[in-house]
Amino acid sequence: MNVYRYEENPLVTPSGVKPYLDGFEVIGAFNAGIAGHDGEVLMLLRVAERPVSPDPGIVLAPVCDPNAPAPRLVELRRDDPRYDFSDPRVVRDVTADTGFAYLTSISYIRIARSRDGRRFTVDDEPFVYPSGPLETFGIEDPRVTRIGDTHYLYFSAVSPVGIGVSLASTEDFRTVKRHGMIFGPDNKDVLIFPEKVNGKYYALHRPTVRSVGRPEIWIAESDNLLYWGNHKHLAGLREGMWDSGRIGGGAVPFRTEKGWLELYHGATKEHRYSMGALLLDPDDPSRVIARSDRPLLEPEAEYERNGFFGEVVFSCGALVEGDTVRMYYGVADTSMACAELRVSEILDSLTYFG
Ligand code: MAN
């Protein structure tokens, strides 16, 4: 497998993004959805901003208030025995039944634009900013599917009542229309197919189940992109392999001569995130034809191994032209990078089921 990482990687880093919020710093510009529009490559960046704490003994947890312009800051003392600060992304409450208390940053969506797909200019303002009670902890990991002249974007909506996936749409990447939550909590990693198959829209999704089951990939159908049903379990974890801890859809699936190719992420139980592929039946995407036994891309470069949360490559979008896939991906929950792969080589690398 030839994997060509761009010499310019990382393409967008937090230091290249001006904070939008007063008193905050940008700690991540990563996990971007990707769209081609008017001759440009657009990254719909997940920008994460964190309040700068004046006191090293205090962590400030930001919470968006739907009725106020700026997030509210909750002061958490590092010596408070209720709280566990060991994961830089979240503050855990050891006394709460879910274990969860706050996120350490607020994420929203901001666009980076490029003519050549390598050098990007980041917009000054957010494109989609958290609003309403279901997004008070932020919106994350957007994906973009083009259907006709409309680009649908959908993202994790995070709040104290759970993480679901909400839908919005745009024609021009300047204004956006909201369509509400399409997958209720707990769910992430939705990927809407770019065309109907046998008269139905399809979407991958990833319930994060708490009672029975594991974080695995499901598929659902819809007539209108808003109401989803006929859910089926699509792919599971594999003990002892690169995708033994959790899996979820990554880039928007695309058609190849052998079927739908889905570039998905898999993590080990130690949270090392790699990218691999699933090949789905061209006429029935709920049937898996083949899968990667070994990752296509794993954290190896310095910028993939080290950062806010290291050992992570996480794609939310790719551009396909002929046999070339330009896979854009978040690195170490910090920055954006891109690697080119060949469709034919990916198809050859898979293990086919009988
Ligand atoms: C996980 C990580 C974080 C994210 C939260 C909430 O902890 O993916 O980056 O902010 O979930 O979605």
Side-chain angles (χ1 to χ4, degrees):
M1 175 69 48
N2 292 302
V3 177
Y4 162 47
R5 288 174 169 84
Y6 285 177
E7 297 79 9
E8 293 88 347
N9 283 350
L11 305 177
V12 176
T13 62
S15 61
V17 182
K18 265 192 277 152
Y20 170 68
L21 297 164
D22 279 344
F24 282 59
E25 58 183 340
V26 174
I27 56 166
F30 62 118
N31 299 1
I34 301 295
H37 180 68
D38 274 355
E40 286 187 323
V41 177
L42 305 187
M43 282 184 187
L44 281 86
L45 294 168
R46 168 181 174 187
V47 170
E49 297 198 13
R50 176 171 70 186
V52 179
S53 174
D55 176 346
I58 289 177
V59 171
L60 297 174
V63 181
C64 284
D65 177 343
N67 302 311
R72 182 166 61 84
L73 304 182
V74 183
E75 280 193 19
L76 307 170
R77 295 200 58 87
R78 279 198 184 273
D79 57 11
D80 187 329
R82 258 182 312 165
Y83 297 121
D84 169 1
F85 297 96
S86 61
D87 184 330
R89 305 172 299 178
V90 291
V91 181
R92 295 190 197 285
D93 179 342
V94 295
T95 65
D97 53 353
T98 61
F100 182 85
Y102 295 101
L103 293 183
T104 54
S105 62
I106 282 286
S107 293
Y108 61 84
I109 300 167
R110 196 149 146 185
I111 300 182
R113 303 171 194 260
S114 171
R115 288 262 154 216
D116 63 4
R118 293 175 183 245
R119 286 164 302 161
F120 285 83
T121 309
V122 182
D123 284 3
D124 285 335
E125 303 266 313
F127 178 52
V128 190
Y129 191 77
S131 78
L134 300 182
E135 301 180 356
T136 56
F137 288 159
I139 55 177
E140 307 178 342
D141 303 349
R143 273 79 170 194
V144 193
T145 300
R146 181 183 181 159
I147 299 174
D149 287 334
T150 305
H151 282 92
Y152 291 90
L153 54 136
Y154 36 100
F155 40 81
S156 306
V158 191
S159 79
V161 294
I163 305 175
V165 177
S166 291
L167 180 71
S169 63
T170 186
E171 257 89 67
D172 55 8
F173 289 99
R174 306 269 165 206
T175 57
V176 71
K177 197 168 148 194
R178 299 276 207 144
H179 305 286
M181 189 173 271
I182 52 171
F183 285 88
D186 266 3
N187 211 314
K188 281 184 169 185
D189 302 324
V190 167
L191 273 317
I192 298 176
F193 287 60
E195 56 186 87
K196 284 184 173 174
V197 184
N198 288 321
K200 298 280 184 194
Y201 292 112
Y202 280 86
L204 306 176
H205 63 104
R206 208 292 304 280
T208 312
V209 288
R210 281 185 204 280
S211 49
V212 180
R214 300 189 292 179
E216 301 181 328
I217 302 176
W218 288 62
I219 190 163
E221 296 172 9
S222 175
D223 291 323
N224 54 20
L225 301 172
L226 295 178
Y227 304 110
W228 296 88
N230 196 17
H231 298 266
K232 292 178 183 166
H233 180 262
L234 187 76
L237 304 180
R238 296 181 298 181
E239 204 49 50
M241 295 176 71
W242 62 277
D243 49 4
S244 61
R246 50 179 57 234
I247 54 173
V252 176
F254 54 91
R255 262 191 194 283
T256 70
E257 55 181 29
K258 292 195 172 157
W260 292 98
L261 196 60
E262 166 59 15
L263 303 173
Y264 74 98
H265 66 263
T268 61
K269 296 192 173 71
E270 294 74 40
H271 310 294
R272 182 172 191 263
Y273 282 74
S274 303
M275 293 298 303
L278 282 169
L279 182 65
L280 310 177
D281 187 307
D283 303 314
D284 174 12
S286 70
R287 203 174 76 81
V288 179
I289 304 175
R291 187 168 174 178
S292 299
D293 279 347
R294 293 176 45 76
L296 299 169
L297 181 84
E298 50 190 322
E300 282 168 345
E302 191 278 326
Y303 51 83
E304 298 164 350
R305 302 205 57 197
N306 302 303
F308 181 67
F309 195 82
E311 305 287 343
V312 176
V313 294
F314 190 100
S315 177
C316 295
L319 294 174
V320 185
E321 219 184 289
D323 196 36
T324 304
V325 187
R326 261 196 253 167
M327 184 172 75
Y328 288 89
Y329 59 102
V331 291
D333 280 8
T334 304
S335 303
M336 283 300 298
C338 183
E340 285 186 9
L341 299 96
R342 301 257 164 252
V343 178
S344 50
E345 289 185 22
I346 297 175
L347 293 174
D348 285 347
S349 73
L350 304 178
T351 301
Y352 287 74
F353 306 115

